[in-house]
Amino acid sequence: MIEEMYKAATDRYDCGMVYRRCGNSGIFLPVISLGFWHNFGETAPLERSKEMMRYAFDHGVTSFDLANNYGPGYGTAEETFGYVFDKSFRPYRDEMFVASKAGYDMWPGPYGNWGSRKYLMASVDQSLRRTHLDYFDVFYSHRYDPDTPLEETLQALVDIVRAGKALYVGISRWPVEAAKFGFDYLRRHDVPCLIFQDRLNMIDRRVSLDGTLDNVVENGVGFIGFSPLAQGVLTGRYLNGIPADSRAMQGKFLKTSQISGELIEKVRSLNEIAAKRGQTLAQMSLSWVLAHPGVTSVIVGSSSTAQLADSLQAVAKMEFSREELTAIDHIVEGMSL
């Protein structure tokens, strides 16, 4: 049977999605971006991945966040994207903003990791083949490499743009001083950094405390946050203990020892604030990140269309009263994962 070609919803830009300017650029991104970190690899049902991608696009999500080693296994999230892109999204390529990255372990040997020119150049070519794209909208250095000269990593990013393999470049999780150097280098080489990516959630506020977010704003760079739900802790998953099918119980990026009784009580208190706001805890957690000045977008990773639909409703209420923010601060004080 020949699969019927996907036709995007005609009202996709009229269903409530909000778009924010990315730093000082001409790019606007939806405040919610779809992340491919751990739910689109070879272990995920292809039909579910396609359904989530279509649902996202039909509801104004034009920003898709990939990396070369996303899966599991490595590369398979990009392969999933490439398959669905061919089947559904090729006619809509110019409406999509697709990001990929390189910097973490990808293949064996000395050239499959970190930030060398050889690794980045090979990675962007491999990622383009897997995604079936001619170019990325933005290509990131995925992490700071303390052993490779920053000039080497940054010049590779410049040359990736000049070769037509990406329109913009980004930096992810670089320390403040290294990021300052990077922003200046890229600007002087006429390829200004478009966007900076790092973790931000109600529990992990490092970027808002160590100068990272201020540095991004001062340099006219956009900011996109990942892990806004703290591996599911800032959702309703742990309100009544640790579910058998949760990440903590399975030991996936979270351990049962981290989900203490005290943490559960704090999460319940946060959930009460969310309920008073007319939101789920997940929605409030996303809204909290988006309430920060300088934040362009937040990346959500969903395992179902229902989860994605819930997340998208955060857009309806992104403002907080001073009393709400104070109450949240009081609850999360001392929390860690």
Side-chain angles (χ1 to χ4, degrees), residues 3 11 42 47 83 94 133 178 201 216 224 249 257 282 325:
E3 182 177 347
D11 64 346
E42 62 187 357
E47 283 300 312
Y83 176 85
D94 292 339
L133 297 175
N201 58 57
V216 166
I224 186 167
M249 191 63 74
S257 59
L325 291 173

Side-chain angles (χ1 to χ4, degrees), residues 226-284:
F226 68 86
S227 195
L229 306 181
Q231 304 297 334
V233 171
L234 294 175
T235 70
R237 290 284 283 161
Y238 298 96
L239 291 175
N240 298 301
I242 306 176
D245 61 345
S246 65
R247 285 185 178 180
M249 191 63 74
Q250 296 172 16
K252 291 182 177 180
F253 315 109
L254 197 64
K255 298 178 181 177
T256 55
S257 59
Q258 296 174 280
I259 312 299
S260 64
E262 180 183 4
L263 184 141
I264 290 173
E265 285 303 315
K266 288 179 177 289
V267 170
R268 287 173 179 166
S269 296
L270 291 172
N271 189 59
E272 291 175 3
I273 296 176
K276 291 177 182 177
R277 286 171 51 85
Q279 292 183 302
T280 64
L281 178 54
Q283 290 165 5
M284 184 180 80

Side-chain angles (χ1 to χ4, degrees), residues 164-176:
K165 296 176 182 180
L167 301 182
Y168 302 91
V169 297
I171 292 173
S172 179
R173 308 195 75 185
W174 282 30
V176 174

Side-chain angles (χ1 to χ4, degrees), residues 67-127:
N68 60 347
N69 68 342
Y70 284 178
Y74 293 173
T76 59
E78 288 184 328
E79 291 174 353
T80 294
F81 177 93
Y83 176 85
V84 178
F85 176 75
D86 282 341
K87 297 292 184 181
S88 300
F89 290 102
R90 190 166 290 280
Y92 303 100
R93 175 64 183 98
D94 292 339
E95 295 184 44
M96 303 173 75
F97 194 90
V98 186
S100 196
K101 324 177 197 70
Y104 284 91
D105 177 56
M106 182 61 191
W107 64 83
Y111 315 122
N113 208 339
W114 296 101
S116 72
R117 178 182 181 87
K118 180 170 177 62
Y119 174 57
L120 292 177
M121 289 298 190
S123 294
V124 70
D125 286 342
Q126 290 182 16
S127 290

Side-chain angles (χ1 to χ4, degrees), residues 171 174-187 196 211 215-216 218-219:
I171 292 173
W174 282 30
V176 174
E177 290 306 313
K180 286 181 180 179
F181 180 91
F183 296 155
D184 180 65
Y185 185 98
L186 293 168
R187 189 183 302 114
F196 187 94
N215 180 41
V216 166
E218 289 166 6
N219 280 276

